[in-house]
Amino acid sequence: MKTETDELAMYEQHLATLGRSRITIKNYLEVLKLFREWYKETYEIEIIDLSKVSAIDLISYRSYLQYEKRHKTATINQHVAALRNFFTFLLIKGVIKEPIITGLKPLSKPFLRSPDVPKQAQILKLFRMVDTSNDRGKRDFAILQLFVQCGLRLSEVANIEISDITVSERKGTLKIAGGKGDQQREISLNSTVRYAIKVYLEVRQDIPDVKKLFISQMNKPLSRRSIHHLTKMYLESAGIPELSCHDLRHLFATNLYNRHKDILLVKEALGHKTLESTLRYSHKTKEELASAMEDSELNIYRNS
């Protein structure tokens, strides 16, 4: 009786016979290793009988990659291709008796994952990393607030001009022009970002030839690269180096949706061209789904 190891060795030899490159063979075997680990953990077993793997197992694994591991579409499809190839090989060799890959199909379009976002405590720590007692700190604090409070893209922050901003004690607006997809929109500024911009403008050098809002210590416009670098520096200082400027945009969008449950509001705030890109922020939690099910008018025992 062939063991799981024997079947994998036989498959590896088969791939080599077909002339597959070492990298391709390595990638296929790595996918199979990850699948085996998932299968063993799922069924709480130590050795897999590959003849017992079912079509439902394969589809469940794809869902696991999608919703729990949150892999990108391209990565998921690489797993799908490797598994389809392997179990087709097992069918030809008689290890399995029936085709089980029929329902295991690659994803046809990018899977929009509900993005990971930093926690409130992490963001408050991020703010504390900025020394606002000096001019540079006042500038950097304003930049971080535009990411967190307005959900701006990196390019949008870099392109802001002083004339785009209107700030008073009780309200403020920011005009965003020439953003992604050449969309134009006007953003309301909350009290925190209004305060940060007001404090920064009080110390910003008045340079007639420089229209950009954010300038360097050399009195030149800050580039996208510079803004990215300084933001990463503060994220690393706050202990969250894996995050980026775009993650702060995700934080803004997620908080806005969770607060108001209005996906169209989030779409307008982010400047998305289509609703599809915004829908990732409307994923319901298990608790929300459970509450909705319990609240059904047809749930005759709900008050029991």
Side-chain angles (χ1 to χ4, degrees):
M1 178 180 178
K2 286 187 173 64
T3 65
E4 172 194 342
T5 304
D6 292 334
E7 289 158 342
L8 288 170
M10 187 168 58
Y11 177 63
E12 182 176 2
Q13 184 178 3
H14 167 71
L15 291 175
T17 302
L18 293 177
R20 300 290 188 265
S21 69
R22 290 182 180 181
I23 294 179
T24 298
I25 294 174
K26 179 182 178 181
N27 291 341
Y28 271 38
L29 294 178
E30 180 63 23
V31 166
L32 296 178
K33 175 185 176 184
L34 295 173
F35 171 75
R36 281 153 43 215
E37 290 175 354
W38 169 83
Y39 190 93
K40 290 177 181 180
E41 183 176 347
T42 300
Y43 289 99
E44 299 181 343
I45 58 177
E46 295 184 1
I47 300 175
I48 298 178
D49 181 352
L50 291 170
S51 66
K52 299 292 180 62
V53 177
S54 68
I56 292 178
D57 292 328
L58 297 182
I59 295 174
S60 297
Y61 181 64
R62 187 185 64 182
S63 296
Y64 162 77
L65 297 176
Q66 225 177 330
Y67 298 105
E68 292 191 40
K69 298 301 289 183
R70 300 155 66 84
H71 285 318
K72 295 180 179 179
T73 299
T75 302
I76 295 171
N77 286 345
Q78 288 172 359
H79 281 250
V80 168
L83 290 171
R84 286 178 61 89
N85 191 289
F86 177 60
F87 282 98
T88 297
F89 167 77
L90 294 183
L91 180 65
I92 293 172
K93 293 298 181 181
V95 176
I96 59 177
K97 305 303 179 183
E98 297 180 356
I100 61 173
I101 65 168
T102 305
L104 183 65
K105 297 179 180 179
L107 301 180
S108 59
K109 61 180 180 179
F111 170 61
L112 296 178
R113 301 176 297 166
S114 179
D116 291 320
V117 296
K119 298 178 181 178
Q120 182 184 29
Q122 292 175 313
I123 295 302
L124 293 178
K125 184 177 180 181
L126 172 66
F127 294 162
R128 291 196 298 271
M129 293 300 103
V130 187
D131 180 6
T132 55
S133 65
N134 57 63
D135 294 359
R136 179 179 178 181
K138 291 178 173 64
R139 179 202 66 188
D140 295 352
F141 190 73
I143 289 173
L144 291 179
Q145 295 308 320
L146 284 167
F147 282 127
V148 173
Q149 310 292 344
C150 302
L152 298 189
R153 301 179 178 94
L154 175 58
S155 59
E156 292 172 339
V157 174
N159 289 331
I160 295 175
E161 296 185 357
I162 295 178
S163 60
D164 295 330
I165 295 178
T166 303
V167 175
S168 65
E169 186 177 344
R170 295 189 175 276
K171 64 180 181 179
T173 57
L174 168 63
K175 294 180 180 178
I176 298 294
K180 191 174 181 180
D182 293 326
Q183 299 179 72
Q184 296 185 0
R185 68 190 193 280
E186 186 173 277
I187 297 175
S188 294
L189 304 177
N190 66 22
S191 55
T192 298
V193 73
R194 290 201 308 269
Y195 172 80
I197 290 175
K198 181 176 179 294
V199 169
Y200 167 60
L201 286 174
E202 290 174 352
V203 299
R204 182 192 181 278
Q205 292 291 327
D206 185 12
I207 310 167
D209 295 334
V210 179
K211 297 180 180 180
K212 289 293 193 300
L213 174 63
F214 296 112
I215 58 176
S216 69
Q217 292 175 308
M218 301 297 292
N219 293 331
K220 295 184 180 298
L222 272 186
S223 65
R224 291 175 56 179
R225 182 176 181 180
S226 295
I227 294 174
H228 170 79
H229 177 74
L230 71 86
T231 303
K232 287 295 291 182
M233 178 188 70
Y234 288 118
L235 288 167
E236 289 173 3
S237 299
I240 42 179
E242 70 279 6
L243 299 184
S244 66
C245 301
H246 208 65
D247 290 310
L248 299 180
R249 175 173 163 84
H250 290 325
L251 170 69
F252 163 79
T254 300
N255 284 348
L256 188 62
Y257 179 77
N258 289 342
R259 185 76 173 174
H260 299 282
K261 303 299 182 184
D262 187 338
I263 198 65
L264 292 178
L265 180 69
V266 179
K267 174 182 176 294
E268 293 302 316
L270 292 177
H272 282 161
K273 202 168 186 178
T274 65
L275 188 60
E276 184 178 8
S277 298
T278 320
L279 287 175
R280 69 179 74 183
Y281 300 103
S282 64
H283 290 179
K284 300 298 182 182
T285 64
K286 292 180 180 179
E287 292 75 15
E288 287 176 312
L289 292 173
S291 177
M293 297 290 282
E294 187 66 28
D295 196 42
S296 169
E297 292 182 358
L298 301 180
N299 179 13
I300 60 175
Y301 289 103
R302 62 177 171 170
N303 294 320
S304 299

